[in-house]
Amino acid sequence: MNVLLIYAHPEPRSLNGSLKDFSIKRLEDAGHVVQVSDLYAMKWKASLDADDSLNRQGDARFDPALDSKHAFEAGMQSPDIAREQEKLKWADAVILQFPLWWFSMPAILKGWVERVYAYGFAYGVGEHSDARWGDRYGEGSMAGKRAMLIVTTGGWESHYSPRGINGPIDDVLFPIQHGVLYYPGFAVLPPFVIHRTSRIDEARFSTIRDALGQRLDHLWTTAPIPFRPQNAGAYDVPALTLRPDVSPDQIGFSAHIE
């Protein structure tokens, strides 16, 4: 299988750096082909702007969505964007690895998503009408591929528990897992989360490494998070709210998981 690892940490000698190297070796030893987009090493440009489209008129008003659409359709995207899109098309599975900074991914990784997820490539695909809002949330250009997060946090596991001060980790990661990954069609596996990273000694690192190895070994057999597909009947159209008879007592993020 082909695995794309999108990696966002500025220090190669960090815990994240060690886990990245371990993951690459584990996957390759199992016979998989791995590509890595090391965003800090690549000096990835994080900002989505007019320079991402090579066929714009200099005085034209910049429209992030429409400029992205036109550049993608015309083959006039910035070359770094096109290269990352080719990697996504090549991959059978995608892993996003990053430290949780201020309750989200680092800015450089968010910028990768904003620039690479072009209109017509990762969104804006399929029929858009009063009866259907495109191929998304379970469908789309990434359907048939798997995705997983590897996330490190400084906080304790209890801080991200159901009643923890930071909120449940599944809620914190919902915009990434449901939005960034499930929206364009990925089957999203449960995340691999390492807590309290400042308190890791050799023994705990060995335990973490072994657990991560098991997750990587089962990358193709682990059951994905059962997010509700948009176009399978659970949602009223065009409001795109859950039908009254679907989990009527649930609200919030958990209502969108079967």
Side-chain angles (χ1 to χ4, degrees), residues 78-142:
S78 176
D80 58 343
I81 294 174
R83 283 193 297 268
E84 295 304 299
Q85 291 172 348
E86 287 303 313
K87 293 178 187 178
L88 280 172
K89 289 189 283 188
W90 165 87
D92 300 303
V94 174
I95 297 171
L96 304 184
Q97 182 184 341
F98 57 92
L100 193 70
W101 286 352
W102 287 107
F103 299 89
S104 187
M105 57 178 69
I108 197 169
L109 179 53
K110 181 61 160 52
W112 181 90
V113 174
E114 290 181 359
R115 297 182 65 224
V116 174
Y117 274 30
Y119 190 121
F121 176 72
Y123 74 103
V125 300
E127 174 190 340
H128 286 72
S129 66
D130 288 343
R132 187 180 179 90
W133 281 60
D135 298 338
R136 59 180 196 166
Y137 292 116
E139 301 174 327
S141 55
M142 301 302 153

Side-chain angles (χ1 to χ4, degrees), residues 10-124:
E11 176 50 68
R13 296 164 295 182
S14 63
L15 170 65
N16 268 278
S18 297
L19 294 176
K20 170 183 66 72
D21 295 341
F22 169 79
S23 295
I24 295 168
K25 186 176 188 306
R26 184 77 169 219
L27 290 164
E28 290 180 341
D29 286 350
H32 306 300
V33 181
V34 182
Q35 289 194 64
V36 180
S37 290
D38 184 340
L39 300 184
Y40 282 96
M42 294 161 59
K43 300 188 183 304
W44 178 262
K45 170 181 165 289
S47 57
L48 169 66
D49 56 32
D51 292 336
D52 290 339
S53 303
L54 304 182
N55 59 345
R56 295 187 73 257
Q57 298 298 317
D59 59 347
R61 175 181 175 274
F62 174 55
D63 185 309
L66 291 181
D67 279 25
S68 171
K69 179 177 186 288
H70 296 153
F72 175 72
E73 291 176 344
M76 295 297 289
Q77 299 176 109
S78 176
D80 58 343
I81 294 174
R83 283 193 297 268
E84 295 304 299
Q85 291 172 348
E86 287 303 313
K87 293 178 187 178
L88 280 172
K89 289 189 283 188
W90 165 87
D92 300 303
V94 174
I95 297 171
L96 304 184
Q97 182 184 341
F98 57 92
L100 193 70
W101 286 352
W102 287 107
F103 299 89
S104 187
M105 57 178 69
I108 197 169
L109 179 53
K110 181 61 160 52
W112 181 90
V113 174
E114 290 181 359
R115 297 182 65 224
V116 174
Y117 274 30
Y119 190 121
F121 176 72
Y123 74 103

